[in-house]
Amino acid sequence: MTNKLKTITLLALGLTTMNQAKSQELRKAAVHLAVQDQRIKIYTLVAPPEMFANTSHVIELAHELIVVDGQFFAPYAQQLKMLTDSLKKPVTRFYISHDHPDHYLGFGDAFPDVQVYALEETKQHIEKDGREVLKQRQEQFGGIIAKTLNVPAHAQKEGKEVIDGVTFIFERSLDNEDAVSLVIKIPEVKTYIAQDIVYNKIHLFISGNLDGWRKALRKIEHESEYKIILPGHGEPAGPSILKEDLEYLDFVDKTLAASKSKEEYKSKILAAYPDYGGEKLIDIYLAYYLKKDWKEK
Ligand SMILES: [Zn+2]
């Protein structure tokens, strides 16, 4: 399937979620204080589970704010803007962790002037496809999608950097939930910003071979000095979430092999994880991303 077709069909599916949300009026995102230390605080904004529970993290340093990820739906980016305004410090860097639209599409109107950073591959991908993706989403979803896109201007390199007196470690992670993603570690507060390598009680988005994803999760497990794990979907977590996600991926493999239809697969996943949010994510990846010969009929 071409990217364009993928996007359009994806939109059609997502529309139901949006219309339901509209008719009930959108629920607000939740804000968690994930880290509180002398020199650094991290606030995590999480969209409601029915809107995919995307996270944005606001890292508050002595004189400035750093934001990680910009939401899918514009109202949550506006809520994020209210949060950063309330802290009364400038946003000096706005990071995009990877090139999936649920992380870069939402914030263009709310943060038109921030300096956007991403890995070179992510920057190039958004430069190339971002405007088209935005246009398609606008046509389908209307006002819940931002009107403008803020494209990354800065390529973040891997390595250590001291920002406002705090050491950050930037790393490139390959072949996890996306082909390329940015990981940000802050050793001083034992915090690992993993984004979509980690989901917390939200159905993981499955699109292909899961071995690389498992490898990325085990790598975090081995870095056991990190006690706070910040997911791309769902609330801030501790290291036990890594095992939970690894078990979820094993369950997915097992269930995919044992299921004869998409319906059977989905019902088994829902039965095994009844308290997980983001059920719509299963429909989307089953319909358009996950390739499998279901042997139906
Ligand atoms: Zn995501």
Side-chain angles (χ1 to χ4, degrees):
M1 198 187 285
T2 65
N3 264 338
K4 192 169 179 182
L5 188 53
K6 239 189 221 171
T7 309
I8 290 167
T9 41
L10 187 62
L11 284 167
L13 260 181
L15 201 57
T16 325
T17 308
M18 190 206 77
N19 284 341
Q20 281 166 357
K22 232 183 198 171
S23 61
Q24 296 159 9
E25 197 144 307
L26 280 181
R27 281 207 293 156
K28 280 201 155 181
V31 178
H32 303 263
L33 184 57
V35 170
Q36 187 170 22
D37 204 63
Q38 266 189 323
R39 300 199 301 166
I40 174 169
K41 281 193 191 113
I42 303 178
Y43 301 86
T44 295
L45 181 137
V46 190
E50 69 274 15
M51 303 300 275
F52 312 140
N54 275 90
T55 64
S56 297
H57 312 292
V58 179
I59 305 167
E60 184 182 12
L61 302 171
H63 308 97
E64 60 193 275
L65 306 175
I66 294 172
V67 179
V68 181
D69 278 352
Q71 294 293 317
F72 189 3
F73 298 111
Y76 302 122
Q78 294 293 351
Q79 214 184 312
L80 180 65
K81 172 71 171 156
M82 284 166 65
L83 172 61
T84 59
D85 282 353
S86 74
L87 299 172
K88 305 208 181 319
K89 294 175 187 176
V91 175
T92 54
R93 303 182 187 210
F94 200 114
Y95 280 95
I96 298 302
S97 64
H98 64 293
D99 62 20
H100 289 164
D102 53 326
H103 298 261
Y104 74 78
L105 220 55
F107 73 103
D109 300 345
F111 295 89
D113 303 319
V114 289
Q115 298 299 311
V116 185
Y117 289 68
L119 290 169
E120 182 60 36
E121 298 93 323
T122 307
K123 179 175 176 283
Q124 281 179 18
H125 182 102
I126 298 173
E127 274 169 3
K128 185 171 155 281
D129 293 345
R131 283 179 186 84
E132 182 63 22
V133 172
L134 182 77
K135 195 169 146 255
Q136 290 163 357
R137 296 297 200 271
Q138 287 166 341
E139 282 162 10
Q140 296 291 330
F141 292 121
I144 200 167
I145 295 296
K147 290 189 176 54
T148 54
L149 190 68
N150 194 343
V151 177
H154 306 276
Q156 179 63 47
K157 292 209 167 59
E158 289 190 274
K160 235 179 229 186
E161 227 179 293
V162 178
I163 307 170
D164 207 1
V166 173
T167 299
F168 288 71
I169 300 170
F170 297 95
E171 279 177 10
R172 176 183 268 103
S173 177
L174 300 176
D175 300 323
N176 54 70
E177 188 251 23
D178 194 1
V180 184
S181 74
L182 176 68
V183 158
I184 304 174
K185 305 193 280 196
I186 313 169
E188 184 173 322
V189 286
K190 300 178 170 46
T191 298
Y192 202 113
I193 305 178
Q195 293 315 88
D196 277 12
I197 299 171
V198 177
Y199 281 54
N200 185 6
K201 296 212 158 32
I202 299 298
H203 290 290
L204 281 68
F205 195 86
I206 310 295
S207 62
N209 189 293
L210 300 176
D211 292 341
W213 196 343
R214 284 192 188 87
K215 217 172 126 189
L217 283 162
R218 288 200 197 97
K219 182 177 181 296
I220 308 176
E221 253 185 348
H222 288 142
E223 295 179 75
S224 54
E225 65 271 34
Y226 290 97
K227 305 299 181 198
I228 297 165
I229 313 291
L230 300 183
H233 297 258
E235 296 174 6
S240 63
I241 191 63
L242 303 167
K243 187 164 174 278
E244 227 172 277
D245 281 352
L246 281 164
E247 284 171 359
Y248 186 103
L249 294 181
D250 289 346
F251 186 79
V252 162
D253 269 345
K254 213 174 67 187
T255 310
L256 273 175
S259 301
K260 289 190 177 59
S261 69
K262 291 178 181 180
E263 292 70 28
E264 183 186 348
Y265 167 82
K266 187 185 168 187
S267 68
K268 283 177 178 168
I269 296 280
L270 292 181
Y273 293 94
D275 58 337
Y276 274 39
E279 184 186 329
K280 201 84 201 160
L281 293 169
I282 304 177
D283 298 327
I284 294 172
Y285 74 68
L286 280 179
Y288 304 109
Y289 288 88
L290 186 74
K291 298 287 165 255
K292 176 182 152 64
D293 177 11
W294 290 95
K295 308 225 170 16
E296 279 172 301
K297 284 174 210 167

